[in-house]
Structure formats: structure tokens, C-alpha cells
Amino acid sequence: MSDSVQDLVLLSLAEDYKVGEIKYPDYLRSRYGIGFPNEKFQKLEKSGYIRPSTPIEALPHLKATELKAIATKLGIKTSGKKEELP
């Protein structure tokens, strides 16, 4: 598959993954031939197609356990639902 098709596939998925993600779906390799997504994401960033999200943009994408770990480090209440965390 061409690099441009692979780039489009990754652009469509970019907001769902963190930089340096260790595990990507197997279908990226089998269906689209994308063997090293991190390298391709870095290329897209250098080309100006994607950028790292700001902390405010990233918060809704964090799991509750990740939010609780951050809250613990900051000495903030960690009980309750994700939506209730400050």
C-alpha cells in the first residue's frame, strides 16, 4: 500500500493514540502494511499534519486510572467517577 494511503489511515486514528504507544492494532500491519506506526506518526508531526495535544485536550482521553495517578501526585481527591475528578 502506498505511503500516502498509510498516512491517511494514521491521520484518521491519530487522536486515539498517545505518542510512543507500545501496542497498536494488528490490522494496521495486516490490512495496511503499517509496520512501525510510531515512526510514521513522527513523520506526520514533522510534516505539520499532526501535533501533540495540549494537557487540556488530552484530559478527556485519559483513563480513570491515569487521572487518579495524576490526582494522587497532586494531592487531589481520587475517589468518585471520572467525570467528578477535578
Side-chain angles (χ1 to χ4, degrees):
M1 200 157 286
S2 73
D3 280 348
S4 57
V5 171
Q6 292 177 351
D7 290 348
L8 288 172
V9 169
L10 288 177
L11 283 171
S12 72
L13 299 172
E15 93 176 31
D16 296 331
Y17 292 97
K18 296 176 193 159
V19 173
E21 187 85 30
I22 302 218
K23 181 78 171 133
Y24 289 95
D26 291 334
Y27 74 84
L28 288 178
R29 181 183 297 275
S30 61
R31 188 177 300 162
Y32 301 107
I34 302 171
F36 300 97
N38 280 325
E39 291 176 14
K40 289 208 164 273
F41 278 131
Q42 288 173 357
K43 179 183 145 206
L44 291 170
E45 183 180 352
K46 286 180 184 176
S47 299
Y49 290 107
I50 59 174
R51 65 169 175 76
S53 50
T54 66
I56 296 297
E57 292 169 334
L59 281 175
H61 299 284
L62 294 175
K63 296 176 184 170
T65 54
E66 294 169 317
L67 289 171
K68 286 183 180 185
I70 293 168
T72 299
K73 286 182 184 178
L74 297 173
I76 299 171
K77 175 184 147 190
T78 60
S79 61
K81 297 181 181 181
K82 178 178 176 179
E83 295 78 22
E84 296 171 347
L85 291 173

